[in-house]
Amino acid sequence: SQTIHQWPATLVQPVGSPLSLECTVEGTSNPNLYWYRQAAGRGLQLLFYSVGIGQISSEVPQNLSASRPQDRQFILSSKKLLLSDSGFYLCAWSQDRGYSPLHFGNGTRLTVT
Amino acid sequence: AQKITQTQPGMFVQEKEAVTLDCTYDTSDPSYGLFWYKQPSSGEMIFLIYQGSYDQQNATEGRYSLNFQKARKSANLVISASQLGDSAMYFCAMREVNTGGFKTIFGAGTRLFVKA
């Protein structure tokens, strides 16, 4: 069966520090991968998605970047965090079919102080 | 452009009763998928149910059913026999097959409170 791992679960970082969140998927090949952000009490905002190694699409201009160095690995990064980067970050995968649902990791709660 | 609207910020239901969570959508793509997800207080997003735009029958998964009214562009979630564990945020989502690429967009969510 497929599983998705996301870490760390929580993170407190000072303004201006770098960020690296990692997500890996097991049990499937060539998944579509996604990073979403959820502000407190809000819906999910799509940040990045990837349909293959090295292929990244950005949805929202921001202080963040994403990379996919391996088929089942997706990384969210920042060189310098802003206060507005605080939120709940969720990684997800789906099969490469139009009606496939998203399967989410457990999320990372990021607080920028 | 694709859009999902959930107009109920919060809903209360008595345990063992049924509840309907509203969702309307807007799209010009004839091929799309509609999804419902549950987010407990722990934060993980749990996939509940799916409806394809060409499906003739309403989707059902255990106590969950999706009331799909295509002409009205609505995809309401019905939870029968509510349980205390159903208390959570519920999100409606949509993915356009042809024009939306691989993106799934989400509504703002509805917080459901189940009373004992």
Side-chain angles (χ1 to χ4, degrees), chain A residues 11-60:
Chain A
L11 192 60
V12 180
Q13 292 283 98
V15 169
S17 64
L19 173 73
S20 180
L21 302 181
E22 190 165 342
C23 172
T24 59
V25 180
E26 297 177 356
T28 187
S29 59
N30 197 32
N32 294 337
L33 297 172
Y34 307 82
W35 280 110
Y36 283 86
R37 177 169 61 197
Q38 184 179 28
R42 300 286 188 89
L44 277 69
Q45 178 188 36
L46 179 62
L47 300 177
F48 300 95
Y49 67 93
S50 171
V51 300
I53 296 174
Q55 301 179 59
I56 308 295
S57 296
S58 174
E59 287 298 300
V60 181

mmCIF file of all heavy atoms in Angstrom, chain A residues 11-60:
data_model
loop_
_atom_site.group_PDB
_atom_site.id
_atom_site.type_symbol
_atom_site.label_atom_id
_atom_site.label_comp_id
_atom_site.label_asym_id
_atom_site.label_seq_id
_atom_site.Cartn_x
_atom_site.Cartn_y
_atom_site.Cartn_z
ATOM 1 N N LEU A 11 7.733 22.962 13.699
ATOM 2 C CA LEU A 11 8.992 23.679 13.490
ATOM 3 C C LEU A 11 8.807 25.126 13.900
ATOM 4 O O LEU A 11 7.827 25.758 13.501
ATOM 5 C CB LEU A 11 9.379 23.587 12.014
ATOM 6 C CG LEU A 11 10.786 24.005 11.593
ATOM 7 C CD1 LEU A 11 11.823 23.155 12.306
ATOM 8 C CD2 LEU A 11 10.938 23.856 10.085
ATOM 9 N N VAL A 12 9.723 25.618 14.707
ATOM 10 C CA VAL A 12 9.736 27.034 15.075
ATOM 11 C C VAL A 12 11.054 27.606 14.585
ATOM 12 O O VAL A 12 12.126 27.125 14.966
ATOM 13 C CB VAL A 12 9.605 27.214 16.608
ATOM 14 C CG1 VAL A 12 9.632 28.703 16.954
ATOM 15 C CG2 VAL A 12 8.328 26.562 17.111
ATOM 16 N N GLN A 13 10.954 28.614 13.723
ATOM 17 C CA GLN A 13 12.142 29.174 13.097
ATOM 18 C C GLN A 13 12.129 30.699 13.219
ATOM 19 O O GLN A 13 11.069 31.310 13.114
ATOM 20 C CB GLN A 13 12.182 28.813 11.612
ATOM 21 C CG GLN A 13 12.394 27.339 11.304
ATOM 22 C CD GLN A 13 13.841 26.925 11.493
ATOM 23 O OE1 GLN A 13 14.180 26.378 12.543
ATOM 24 N NE2 GLN A 13 14.668 27.195 10.506
ATOM 25 N N PRO A 14 13.276 31.325 13.396
ATOM 26 C CA PRO A 14 13.317 32.796 13.429
ATOM 27 C C PRO A 14 13.218 33.375 12.029
ATOM 28 O O PRO A 14 13.557 32.717 11.026
ATOM 29 C CB PRO A 14 14.694 33.092 14.042
ATOM 30 C CG PRO A 14 15.521 31.895 13.724
ATOM 31 C CD PRO A 14 14.590 30.728 13.704
ATOM 32 N N VAL A 15 12.733 34.589 11.967
ATOM 33 C CA VAL A 15 12.679 35.328 10.701
ATOM 34 C C VAL A 15 14.081 35.387 10.093
ATOM 35 O O VAL A 15 15.065 35.626 10.793
ATOM 36 C CB VAL A 15 12.131 36.752 10.928
ATOM 37 C CG1 VAL A 15 12.319 37.607 9.693
ATOM 38 C CG2 VAL A 15 10.660 36.699 11.298
ATOM 39 N N GLY A 16 14.145 35.158 8.783
ATOM 40 C CA GLY A 16 15.429 35.245 8.091
ATOM 41 C C GLY A 16 16.195 33.945 8.030
ATOM 42 O O GLY A 16 17.207 33.845 7.322
ATOM 43 N N SER A 17 15.719 32.926 8.723
ATOM 44 C CA SER A 17 16.413 31.638 8.700
ATOM 45 C C SER A 17 15.939 30.816 7.506
ATOM 46 O O SER A 17 14.877 31.080 6.949
ATOM 47 C CB SER A 17 16.152 30.877 10.002
ATOM 48 O OG SER A 17 14.778 30.559 10.129
ATOM 49 N N PRO A 18 16.723 29.806 7.092
ATOM 50 C CA PRO A 18 16.295 28.972 5.962
ATOM 51 C C PRO A 18 15.299 27.909 6.405
ATOM 52 O O PRO A 18 15.110 27.656 7.590
ATOM 53 C CB PRO A 18 17.618 28.317 5.517
ATOM 54 C CG PRO A 18 18.434 28.264 6.758
ATOM 55 C CD PRO A 18 18.072 29.479 7.563
ATOM 56 N N LEU A 19 14.668 27.305 5.404
ATOM 57 C CA LEU A 19 13.663 26.280 5.661
ATOM 58 C C LEU A 19 13.850 25.123 4.702
ATOM 59 O O LEU A 19 14.160 25.324 3.520
ATOM 60 C CB LEU A 19 12.259 26.856 5.462
ATOM 61 C CG LEU A 19 11.100 25.851 5.528
ATOM 62 C CD1 LEU A 19 10.854 25.409 6.959
ATOM 63 C CD2 LEU A 19 9.835 26.424 4.917
ATOM 64 N N SER A 20 13.661 23.921 5.219
ATOM 65 C CA SER A 20 13.616 22.747 4.360
ATOM 66 C C SER A 20 12.628 21.752 4.945
ATOM 67 O O SER A 20 12.828 21.246 6.040
ATOM 68 C CB SER A 20 15.004 22.109 4.239
ATOM 69 O OG SER A 20 14.949 20.969 3.393
ATOM 70 N N LEU A 21 11.554 21.510 4.211
ATOM 71 C CA LEU A 21 10.565 20.496 4.594
ATOM 72 C C LEU A 21 10.627 19.387 3.561
ATOM 73 O O LEU A 21 10.679 19.656 2.367
ATOM 74 C CB LEU A 21 9.154 21.082 4.631
ATOM 75 C CG LEU A 21 8.903 22.269 5.548
ATOM 76 C CD1 LEU A 21 7.440 22.687 5.452
ATOM 77 C CD2 LEU A 21 9.295 21.948 6.972
ATOM 78 N N GLU A 22 10.583 18.153 4.045
ATOM 79 C CA GLU A 22 10.737 17.028 3.138
ATOM 80 C C GLU A 22 9.531 16.106 3.175
ATOM 81 O O GLU A 22 8.888 15.920 4.205
ATOM 82 C CB GLU A 22 12.001 16.245 3.488
ATOM 83 C CG GLU A 22 12.375 15.195 2.458
ATOM 84 C CD GLU A 22 13.793 14.700 2.620
ATOM 85 O OE1 GLU A 22 14.595 15.385 3.288
ATOM 86 O OE2 GLU A 22 14.105 13.618 2.076
ATOM 87 N N CYS A 23 9.249 15.529 2.034
ATOM 88 C CA CYS A 23 8.112 14.637 1.875
ATOM 89 C C CYS A 23 8.555 13.482 0.984
ATOM 90 O O CYS A 23 9.174 13.703 -0.061
ATOM 91 C CB CYS A 23 6.970 15.426 1.235
ATOM 92 S SG CYS A 23 5.548 14.470 0.742
ATOM 93 N N THR A 24 8.233 12.262 1.394
ATOM 94 C CA THR A 24 8.535 11.107 0.554
ATOM 95 C C THR A 24 7.309 10.214 0.468
ATOM 96 O O THR A 24 6.518 10.114 1.405
ATOM 97 C CB THR A 24 9.723 10.288 1.079
ATOM 98 O OG1 THR A 24 9.420 9.836 2.400
ATOM 99 C CG2 THR A 24 10.985 11.117 1.104
ATOM 100 N N VAL A 25 7.174 9.562 -0.664
ATOM 101 C CA VAL A 25 6.057 8.664 -0.914
ATOM 102 C C VAL A 25 6.608 7.265 -1.147
ATOM 103 O O VAL A 25 7.639 7.098 -1.810
ATOM 104 C CB VAL A 25 5.249 9.129 -2.146
ATOM 105 C CG1 VAL A 25 4.080 8.194 -2.411
ATOM 106 C CG2 VAL A 25 4.750 10.551 -1.938
ATOM 107 N N GLU A 26 5.922 6.273 -0.619
ATOM 108 C CA GLU A 26 6.315 4.881 -0.816
ATOM 109 C C GLU A 26 5.162 4.103 -1.422
ATOM 110 O O GLU A 26 3.985 4.426 -1.219
ATOM 111 C CB GLU A 26 6.713 4.249 0.527
ATOM 112 C CG GLU A 26 7.922 4.877 1.182
ATOM 113 C CD GLU A 26 8.225 4.249 2.531
ATOM 114 O OE1 GLU A 26 7.441 3.387 2.972
ATOM 115 O OE2 GLU A 26 9.230 4.648 3.153
ATOM 116 N N GLY A 27 5.506 3.083 -2.186
ATOM 117 C CA GLY A 27 4.492 2.173 -2.691
ATOM 118 C C GLY A 27 3.856 2.569 -4.008
ATOM 119 O O GLY A 27 2.881 1.938 -4.440
ATOM 120 N N THR A 28 4.391 3.596 -4.672
ATOM 121 C CA THR A 28 3.882 3.981 -5.972
ATOM 122 C C THR A 28 5.018 4.615 -6.765
ATOM 123 O O THR A 28 6.013 5.064 -6.186
ATOM 124 C CB THR A 28 2.706 4.971 -5.847
ATOM 125 O OG1 THR A 28 2.130 5.211 -7.131
ATOM 126 C CG2 THR A 28 3.143 6.297 -5.237
ATOM 127 N N SER A 29 4.878 4.662 -8.070
ATOM 128 C CA SER A 29 5.908 5.282 -8.887
ATOM 129 C C SER A 29 5.299 6.397 -9.718
ATOM 130 O O SER A 29 4.112 6.371 -10.050
ATOM 131 C CB SER A 29 6.568 4.239 -9.805
ATOM 132 O OG SER A 29 5.598 3.651 -10.645
ATOM 133 N N ASN A 30 6.140 7.404 -10.006
ATOM 134 C CA ASN A 30 5.744 8.560 -10.791
ATOM 135 C C ASN A 30 4.457 9.223 -10.291
ATOM 136 O O ASN A 30 3.537 9.494 -11.065
ATOM 137 C CB ASN A 30 5.577 8.180 -12.269
ATOM 138 C CG ASN A 30 5.580 9.409 -13.167
ATOM 139 O OD1 ASN A 30 6.239 10.400 -12.863
ATOM 140 N ND2 ASN A 30 4.828 9.363 -14.249
ATOM 141 N N PRO A 31 4.385 9.481 -9.001
ATOM 142 C CA PRO A 31 3.185 10.171 -8.500
ATOM 143 C C PRO A 31 3.232 11.653 -8.848
ATOM 144 O O PRO A 31 4.311 12.217 -9.066
ATOM 145 C CB PRO A 31 3.289 9.978 -6.990
ATOM 146 C CG PRO A 31 4.766 9.955 -6.736
ATOM 147 C CD PRO A 31 5.366 9.260 -7.925
ATOM 148 N N ASN A 32 2.081 12.292 -8.877
ATOM 149 C CA ASN A 32 2.034 13.747 -8.858
ATOM 150 C C ASN A 32 2.202 14.172 -7.400
ATOM 151 O O ASN A 32 1.611 13.572 -6.505
ATOM 152 C CB ASN A 32 0.698 14.268 -9.385
ATOM 153 C CG ASN A 32 0.509 13.963 -10.849
ATOM 154 O OD1 ASN A 32 1.471 13.746 -11.593
ATOM 155 N ND2 ASN A 32 -0.730 13.933 -11.294
ATOM 156 N N LEU A 33 3.017 15.187 -7.177
ATOM 157 C CA LEU A 33 3.298 15.634 -5.816
ATOM 158 C C LEU A 33 2.900 17.086 -5.651
ATOM 159 O O LEU A 33 3.006 17.890 -6.595
ATOM 160 C CB LEU A 33 4.785 15.443 -5.490
ATOM 161 C CG LEU A 33 5.273 13.994 -5.501
ATOM 162 C CD1 LEU A 33 6.797 13.944 -5.356
ATOM 163 C CD2 LEU A 33 4.609 13.199 -4.394
ATOM 164 N N TYR A 34 2.462 17.433 -4.440
ATOM 165 C CA TYR A 34 1.898 18.765 -4.179
ATOM 166 C C TYR A 34 2.353 19.279 -2.815
ATOM 167 O O TYR A 34 2.510 18.507 -1.877
ATOM 168 C CB TYR A 34 0.363 18.704 -4.157
ATOM 169 C CG TYR A 34 -0.272 18.069 -5.373
ATOM 170 C CD1 TYR A 34 -0.364 16.687 -5.493
ATOM 171 C CD2 TYR A 34 -0.795 18.851 -6.399
ATOM 172 C CE1 TYR A 34 -0.942 16.095 -6.595
ATOM 173 C CE2 TYR A 34 -1.381 18.257 -7.516
ATOM 174 C CZ TYR A 34 -1.451 16.887 -7.596
ATOM 175 O OH TYR A 34 -2.037 16.305 -8.701
ATOM 176 N N TRP A 35 2.511 20.604 -2.740
ATOM 177 C CA TRP A 35 2.649 21.298 -1.459
ATOM 178 C C TRP A 35 1.489 22.278 -1.332
ATOM 179 O O TRP A 35 1.272 23.103 -2.213
ATOM 180 C CB TRP A 35 3.961 22.071 -1.364
ATOM 181 C CG TRP A 35 5.150 21.235 -1.017
ATOM 182 C CD1 TRP A 35 6.191 20.904 -1.820
ATOM 183 C CD2 TRP A 35 5.439 20.642 0.252
ATOM 184 N NE1 TRP A 35 7.101 20.141 -1.153
ATOM 185 C CE2 TRP A 35 6.666 19.959 0.129
ATOM 186 C CE3 TRP A 35 4.788 20.622 1.492
ATOM 187 C CZ2 TRP A 35 7.247 19.259 1.186
ATOM 188 C CZ3 TRP A 35 5.363 19.921 2.533
ATOM 189 C CH2 TRP A 35 6.589 19.246 2.374
ATOM 190 N N TYR A 36 0.765 22.160 -0.228
ATOM 191 C CA TYR A 36 -0.307 23.085 0.119
ATOM 192 C C TYR A 36 0.049 23.783 1.426
ATOM 193 O O TYR A 36 0.753 23.248 2.266
ATOM 194 C CB TYR A 36 -1.631 22.354 0.320
ATOM 195 C CG TYR A 36 -2.337 21.924 -0.940
ATOM 196 C CD1 TYR A 36 -2.036 20.720 -1.559
ATOM 197 C CD2 TYR A 36 -3.329 22.724 -1.507
ATOM 198 C CE1 TYR A 36 -2.691 20.321 -2.715
ATOM 199 C CE2 TYR A 36 -4.005 22.331 -2.665
ATOM 200 C CZ TYR A 36 -3.678 21.136 -3.247
ATOM 201 O OH TYR A 36 -4.339 20.743 -4.390
ATOM 202 N N ARG A 37 -0.504 24.981 1.588
ATOM 203 C CA ARG A 37 -0.389 25.701 2.861
ATOM 204 C C ARG A 37 -1.790 26.039 3.355
ATOM 205 O O ARG A 37 -2.658 26.424 2.569
ATOM 206 C CB ARG A 37 0.434 26.981 2.718
ATOM 207 C CG ARG A 37 0.528 27.800 4.016
ATOM 208 C CD ARG A 37 1.552 28.904 3.905
ATOM 209 N NE ARG A 37 1.243 29.848 2.853
ATOM 210 C CZ ARG A 37 2.121 30.700 2.345
ATOM 211 N NH1 ARG A 37 3.367 30.722 2.773
ATOM 212 N NH2 ARG A 37 1.753 31.528 1.399
ATOM 213 N N GLN A 38 -1.958 25.909 4.652
ATOM 214 C CA GLN A 38 -3.238 26.210 5.269
ATOM 215 C C GLN A 38 -3.019 27.215 6.394
ATOM 216 O O GLN A 38 -2.343 26.919 7.382
ATOM 217 C CB GLN A 38 -3.875 24.943 5.822
ATOM 218 C CG GLN A 38 -5.259 25.130 6.407
ATOM 219 C CD GLN A 38 -5.852 23.832 6.920
ATOM 220 O OE1 GLN A 38 -5.137 22.920 7.323
ATOM 221 N NE2 GLN A 38 -7.174 23.736 6.910
ATOM 222 N N ALA A 39 -3.578 28.408 6.231
ATOM 223 C CA ALA A 39 -3.551 29.384 7.320
ATOM 224 C C ALA A 39 -4.571 28.944 8.372
ATOM 225 O O ALA A 39 -5.501 28.196 8.076
ATOM 226 C CB ALA A 39 -3.878 30.776 6.792
ATOM 227 N N ALA A 40 -4.422 29.423 9.592
ATOM 228 C CA ALA A 40 -5.273 29.002 10.703
ATOM 229 C C ALA A 40 -6.748 29.205 10.361
ATOM 230 O O ALA A 40 -7.163 30.312 9.997
ATOM 231 C CB ALA A 40 -4.912 29.776 11.960
ATOM 232 N N GLY A 41 -7.537 28.133 10.463
ATOM 233 C CA GLY A 41 -8.970 28.217 10.232
ATOM 234 C C GLY A 41 -9.379 28.478 8.795
ATOM 235 O O GLY A 41 -10.522 28.853 8.526
ATOM 236 N N ARG A 42 -8.458 28.233 7.882
ATOM 237 C CA ARG A 42 -8.740 28.524 6.469
ATOM 238 C C ARG A 42 -8.668 27.264 5.615
ATOM 239 O O ARG A 42 -8.301 26.191 6.093
ATOM 240 C CB ARG A 42 -7.722 29.546 5.949
ATOM 241 C CG ARG A 42 -7.720 30.869 6.663
ATOM 242 C CD ARG A 42 -8.907 31.728 6.303
ATOM 243 N NE ARG A 42 -8.817 33.072 6.839
ATOM 244 C CZ ARG A 42 -8.247 34.078 6.218
ATOM 245 N NH1 ARG A 42 -7.690 33.887 5.025
ATOM 246 N NH2 ARG A 42 -8.214 35.264 6.781
ATOM 247 N N GLY A 43 -8.987 27.448 4.341
ATOM 248 C CA GLY A 43 -8.849 26.360 3.381
ATOM 249 C C GLY A 43 -7.406 26.182 2.943
ATOM 250 O O GLY A 43 -6.495 26.818 3.470
ATOM 251 N N LEU A 44 -7.203 25.309 1.983
ATOM 252 C CA LEU A 44 -5.861 24.979 1.507
ATOM 253 C C LEU A 44 -5.513 25.770 0.258
ATOM 254 O O LEU A 44 -6.306 25.866 -0.675
ATOM 255 C CB LEU A 44 -5.772 23.481 1.197
ATOM 256 C CG LEU A 44 -5.488 22.557 2.369
ATOM 257 C CD1 LEU A 44 -6.651 22.503 3.331
ATOM 258 C CD2 LEU A 44 -5.142 21.170 1.868
ATOM 259 N N GLN A 45 -4.304 26.294 0.261
ATOM 260 C CA GLN A 45 -3.795 27.034 -0.885
ATOM 261 C C GLN A 45 -2.687 26.216 -1.538
ATOM 262 O O GLN A 45 -1.717 25.846 -0.877
ATOM 263 C CB GLN A 45 -3.251 28.392 -0.419
ATOM 264 C CG GLN A 45 -2.652 29.219 -1.533
ATOM 265 C CD GLN A 45 -1.960 30.463 -1.006
ATOM 266 O OE1 GLN A 45 -1.348 30.452 0.058
ATOM 267 N NE2 GLN A 45 -2.063 31.550 -1.753
ATOM 268 N N LEU A 46 -2.834 25.948 -2.822
ATOM 269 C CA LEU A 46 -1.810 25.194 -3.544
ATOM 270 C C LEU A 46 -0.595 26.076 -3.775
ATOM 271 O O LEU A 46 -0.701 27.185 -4.299
ATOM 272 C CB LEU A 46 -2.372 24.700 -4.877
ATOM 273 C CG LEU A 46 -1.411 23.917 -5.770
ATOM 274 C CD1 LEU A 46 -0.941 22.631 -5.082
ATOM 275 C CD2 LEU A 46 -2.071 23.589 -7.111
ATOM 276 N N LEU A 47 0.568 25.570 -3.371
ATOM 277 C CA LEU A 47 1.814 26.311 -3.551
ATOM 278 C C LEU A 47 2.583 25.815 -4.778
ATOM 279 O O LEU A 47 2.972 26.594 -5.640
ATOM 280 C CB LEU A 47 2.695 26.157 -2.311
ATOM 281 C CG LEU A 47 2.119 26.640 -0.990
ATOM 282 C CD1 LEU A 47 3.086 26.339 0.145
ATOM 283 C CD2 LEU A 47 1.789 28.121 -1.048
ATOM 284 N N PHE A 48 2.834 24.521 -4.812
ATOM 285 C CA PHE A 48 3.611 23.921 -5.899
ATOM 286 C C PHE A 48 3.038 22.540 -6.224
ATOM 287 O O PHE A 48 2.469 21.883 -5.361
ATOM 288 C CB PHE A 48 5.086 23.728 -5.485
ATOM 289 C CG PHE A 48 5.802 24.980 -5.113
ATOM 290 C CD1 PHE A 48 5.876 25.365 -3.780
ATOM 291 C CD2 PHE A 48 6.399 25.771 -6.077
ATOM 292 C CE1 PHE A 48 6.532 26.523 -3.416
ATOM 293 C CE2 PHE A 48 7.067 26.932 -5.716
ATOM 294 C CZ PHE A 48 7.121 27.318 -4.392
ATOM 295 N N TYR A 49 3.250 22.138 -7.478
ATOM 296 C CA TYR A 49 2.983 20.759 -7.813
ATOM 297 C C TYR A 49 4.010 20.295 -8.825
ATOM 298 O O TYR A 49 4.635 21.100 -9.524
ATOM 299 C CB TYR A 49 1.550 20.540 -8.306
ATOM 300 C CG TYR A 49 1.193 21.164 -9.630
ATOM 301 C CD1 TYR A 49 1.311 20.464 -10.824
ATOM 302 C CD2 TYR A 49 0.694 22.467 -9.680
ATOM 303 C CE1 TYR A 49 0.954 21.029 -12.022
ATOM 304 C CE2 TYR A 49 0.332 23.033 -10.885
ATOM 305 C CZ TYR A 49 0.463 22.321 -12.048
ATOM 306 O OH TYR A 49 0.112 22.893 -13.250
ATOM 307 N N SER A 50 4.165 18.967 -8.868
ATOM 308 C CA SER A 50 5.185 18.376 -9.732
ATOM 309 C C SER A 50 4.640 17.094 -10.356
ATOM 310 O O SER A 50 4.073 16.255 -9.667
ATOM 311 C CB SER A 50 6.439 18.059 -8.912
ATOM 312 O OG SER A 50 7.362 17.307 -9.674
ATOM 313 N N VAL A 51 4.855 16.968 -11.659
ATOM 314 C CA VAL A 51 4.398 15.769 -12.357
ATOM 315 C C VAL A 51 5.556 14.851 -12.698
ATOM 316 O O VAL A 51 5.339 13.769 -13.271
ATOM 317 C CB VAL A 51 3.606 16.119 -13.630
ATOM 318 C CG1 VAL A 51 2.386 16.961 -13.278
ATOM 319 C CG2 VAL A 51 4.475 16.853 -14.629
ATOM 320 N N GLY A 52 6.780 15.250 -12.351
ATOM 321 C CA GLY A 52 7.930 14.391 -12.623
ATOM 322 C C GLY A 52 9.195 14.990 -12.027
ATOM 323 O O GLY A 52 9.212 16.150 -11.579
ATOM 324 N N ILE A 53 10.258 14.211 -12.038
ATOM 325 C CA ILE A 53 11.533 14.662 -11.479
ATOM 326 C C ILE A 53 11.964 15.961 -12.149
ATOM 327 O O ILE A 53 11.979 16.058 -13.386
ATOM 328 C CB ILE A 53 12.619 13.588 -11.670
ATOM 329 C CG1 ILE A 53 12.268 12.332 -10.880
ATOM 330 C CG2 ILE A 53 13.990 14.114 -11.226
ATOM 331 C CD1 ILE A 53 13.213 11.178 -11.129
ATOM 332 N N GLY A 54 12.285 16.939 -11.335
ATOM 333 C CA GLY A 54 12.768 18.213 -11.849
ATOM 334 C C GLY A 54 11.704 19.122 -12.439
ATOM 335 O O GLY A 54 11.996 20.236 -12.862
ATOM 336 N N GLN A 55 10.458 18.664 -12.472
ATOM 337 C CA GLN A 55 9.361 19.460 -13.044
ATOM 338 C C GLN A 55 8.539 20.061 -11.911
ATOM 339 O O GLN A 55 7.847 19.336 -11.205
ATOM 340 C CB GLN A 55 8.466 18.593 -13.930
ATOM 341 C CG GLN A 55 9.187 17.934 -15.093
ATOM 342 C CD GLN A 55 8.248 17.078 -15.911
ATOM 343 O OE1 GLN A 55 7.254 17.553 -16.448
ATOM 344 N NE2 GLN A 55 8.543 15.794 -15.999
ATOM 345 N N ILE A 56 8.630 21.381 -11.771
ATOM 346 C CA ILE A 56 7.948 22.079 -10.694
ATOM 347 C C ILE A 56 7.097 23.183 -11.285
ATOM 348 O O ILE A 56 7.578 23.967 -12.104
ATOM 349 C CB ILE A 56 8.947 22.711 -9.704
ATOM 350 C CG1 ILE A 56 9.966 21.675 -9.212
ATOM 351 C CG2 ILE A 56 8.195 23.350 -8.535
ATOM 352 C CD1 ILE A 56 9.382 20.556 -8.406
ATOM 353 N N SER A 57 5.841 23.243 -10.851
ATOM 354 C CA SER A 57 4.960 24.350 -11.230
ATOM 355 C C SER A 57 4.600 25.128 -9.983
ATOM 356 O O SER A 57 4.227 24.541 -8.970
ATOM 357 C CB SER A 57 3.685 23.828 -11.897
ATOM 358 O OG SER A 57 3.982 23.177 -13.101
ATOM 359 N N SER A 58 4.742 26.443 -10.069
ATOM 360 C CA SER A 58 4.460 27.313 -8.936
ATOM 361 C C SER A 58 3.123 27.989 -9.142
ATOM 362 O O SER A 58 2.844 28.511 -10.232
ATOM 363 C CB SER A 58 5.564 28.365 -8.795
ATOM 364 O OG SER A 58 5.229 29.303 -7.794
ATOM 365 N N GLU A 59 2.319 27.991 -8.118
ATOM 366 C CA GLU A 59 0.992 28.588 -8.221
ATOM 367 C C GLU A 59 0.929 30.001 -7.655
ATOM 368 O O GLU A 59 0.104 30.798 -8.068
ATOM 369 C CB GLU A 59 -0.034 27.707 -7.490
ATOM 370 C CG GLU A 59 -0.347 26.436 -8.231
ATOM 371 C CD GLU A 59 -0.961 26.713 -9.593
ATOM 372 O OE1 GLU A 59 -2.029 27.335 -9.649
ATOM 373 O OE2 GLU A 59 -0.353 26.323 -10.619
ATOM 374 N N VAL A 60 1.771 30.280 -6.682
ATOM 375 C CA VAL A 60 1.683 31.567 -6.002
ATOM 376 C C VAL A 60 3.082 32.149 -5.869
ATOM 377 O O VAL A 60 3.951 31.513 -5.294
ATOM 378 C CB VAL A 60 1.059 31.425 -4.602
ATOM 379 C CG1 VAL A 60 0.957 32.774 -3.925
ATOM 380 C CG2 VAL A 60 -0.310 30.759 -4.685
#
